[in-house]
Amino acid sequence: MNIQAMMKQAQKLQKDMMNTKKQIDEMTFTSKKEFVEIVVSGDREVKSVKINKENLDGEDIEMLEDLILVCVNDAMDQIEAVTEQKMGKFTHGMPGLF
């Protein structure tokens, strides 16, 4: 294989990687635990936090804080799993590149 063909293949791979990354960034991931719902975009930006106040009284603030933390971390784990699944074909199992 000549250098020009290798460069062309590398450019195509880079373009495919960027397109896949863009698709992931445009996705939304939702985590819902009890009366807390968190929506996070694929680029790891928290888009919304919803709290169902019907089942919440003043003494539940600490539990609410814990649920928000759990939901945010769950949504981030979802993003990581999809990123590894979709980008793994480019990175060949090397974690942490995206």
Side-chain angles (χ1 to χ4, degrees), residues 7-90:
M7 291 297 291
K8 196 172 206 175
Q9 185 178 7
Q11 288 172 341
K12 181 186 181 315
L13 180 63
Q14 182 179 21
K15 182 179 177 184
D16 291 347
M17 286 173 55
M18 296 311 292
N19 286 338
T20 301
K21 179 70 171 113
K22 183 179 179 198
Q23 288 174 351
I24 294 169
D25 288 350
E26 292 172 350
M27 295 172 73
T28 58
F29 298 83
T30 302
S31 179
K32 188 171 185 177
K33 308 288 184 207
E34 301 196 29
F35 46 86
V36 174
E37 180 178 302
I38 304 281
V39 178
V40 181
S41 64
D43 61 356
R44 294 171 173 81
E45 181 180 336
V46 177
K47 294 294 189 179
S48 69
V49 176
K50 294 181 182 171
I51 299 168
N52 180 349
K53 298 173 192 164
E54 293 174 12
N55 301 326
L56 183 67
D57 62 33
E59 297 176 9
D60 291 330
I61 297 301
E62 188 174 319
M63 184 171 76
L64 177 61
E65 292 169 344
D66 291 341
L67 284 172
I68 290 171
L69 181 66
V70 168
C71 285
V72 168
N73 287 331
D74 179 59
M76 296 299 176
D77 289 344
Q78 291 177 43
I79 295 167
E80 187 64 30
V82 169
T83 300
E84 289 296 322
Q85 176 191 19
K86 291 183 176 283
M87 299 301 284
K89 62 185 173 190
F90 303 115

